[in-house]
Amino acid sequence: MRTPLCDRFGIEYPIFAFTPSQDVAAAVTRAGGMGVLGAVRFNDADELDEVLTWMDENTDGKPYGVDIVMPAKVPTEGKALDLDALIPAEHRAFVERTLAELNVPPLDTSVEHAAGVLGWLHSVARSHVDVALKHPIKLIANALGSPPPDVIAQAHEHGVPVAALAGAVEHAKRHRENGVDLVIAQGYEAGGHTGEIASMVLVPEIVDAVGGENVLAAGGIGSGRQIAAALALGASGVWMGSYWLTSAEYRLGSAANGMSTTQRALLKATSADTVRTRIYSGKPARLLKTKWTQAWAAEGAPDALPMPLQNLLVSEAHTRIANSTDPDVVAMPVGQIVGRMNEIKPVAQIFTELLAEFDAAANRIDSAR
C-alpha cells in the first residue's frame, strides 16, 4: 500500500489517523501512518505543549500532525465568561433536568475539572497553532474547513502543509483557492462534523475537481477493503478517525473492566446506531445514538445553540457523562463505521489487519481485469 503521498509526507502507508489521544497518535505514527492529534480538548496551550513534547519523544522521529478547530472567518469573540452569559436559562435547566432523569451523577467536587472545552474558541485555536508550530509537526488539519489566510501563511512559513475537511465539492475548490494543500473529502457516514453527501459520491467528485494527489478520503473507512475502495475512487490516502476509538491505546475517559464506558458503548453499537445532530458543538456532527441524543430529539427539547455556545452549554454534561458508568448515556462523536468496531485491539494489530485486507482486495480487483 503506497502512493505518492507517502513520499510527500515521509510515511510508509497513506493512512492518516485523527485522534484526541496522544497514545493512539504516536502508535499510528510508529506503525507507519501519520497520527494527527486533535487539539480541541486542550484549554491551556501549555498543556498542549507538554503533550506535543511527549509526542516528539515517542514517535521515533517519524512524522505526526495536529488538528485544530477554527472557522475561516475570524468571529467576534468575548471571554468564556462573557459567552457563558449568552446561554439561555431554559437551556441550562433542560441539561440539568435531563442529566437527573438519566441518573448521571454530579462531578466529584474534591477533584479539579476543566471549566468547559475552550478549544472551540477561535483565540484558543490560534494558541494551538502557535504552540504546534514550535514542534516538528508535518501537518496542520482544520476540522472546520480552510483556516484564516494568515494561519495558512503562518504554517507555510514553517514548511508545514495544511489540510482541511470538505463535505462538498465547492468546499474543496475553495480550500485549494485559499492555499490549503490537502483536502479531506469527508462523506456523510463520518463521525463528528460532516456534510450530507456520502463518501462513494463525494470522493470522486472532489478528486475530479482538485486532483487526486491532493485528496484524502474520509467517512466509513475501517478496513483494508475500504482503503482500497478509496484509492480506487482516486484519493491518494485515507483519513480515519472513529476506528481508533476502540484501539487498546485509547485511554481517555473513565475505565471499567479494562475499558472505558465509551468503549463499552461503541463495542455494542451497530452501523445504524448513530445520529447527525447539532447538539455536540452547534454544527451538524454525527454522534453515537444514546439516551442523551434521544433526549435532545424529544418533543419539547430546545434547539441547539450556535457554536461555540452549544459546546460551552454541554461541556460539563459531557464530563459528567464520561465519568459515569452507563454506556447507554454516552455523548461521543463516531461514524457509521462503529458497526465494525467490535473488539479492543492494539494499533499495531489494526495496521496488520488493514494491510492484509488491502492486499487481498487489490488482488481480487486485479483478478477481475
Side-chain angles (χ1 to χ4, degrees), residues 166-175 177 197 205-206 209:
V169 68
E170 59 267 24
H171 301 161
K173 290 178 179 178
R174 187 161 60 246
H175 294 344
E177 291 169 357
I197 305 172
E205 280 189 343
I206 290 182

Side-chain angles (χ1 to χ4, degrees), residues 293-331:
T293 63
Q294 290 169 340
W296 280 90
E299 185 176 354
D303 292 334
L305 299 171
M307 181 184 278
L309 298 182
Q310 180 66 18
N311 189 265
L312 291 174
L313 167 67
V314 299
S315 184
E316 182 179 316
H318 289 169
T319 303
R320 288 172 60 178
I321 289 169
N323 289 338
S324 73
T325 58
D326 186 357
D328 294 329
V329 181
V330 163

Side-chain angles (χ1 to χ4, degrees), residues 358-369:
F358 175 86
D359 287 342
N363 290 336
R364 188 164 54 250
I365 293 170
D366 192 55
S367 68
R369 296 178 62 186

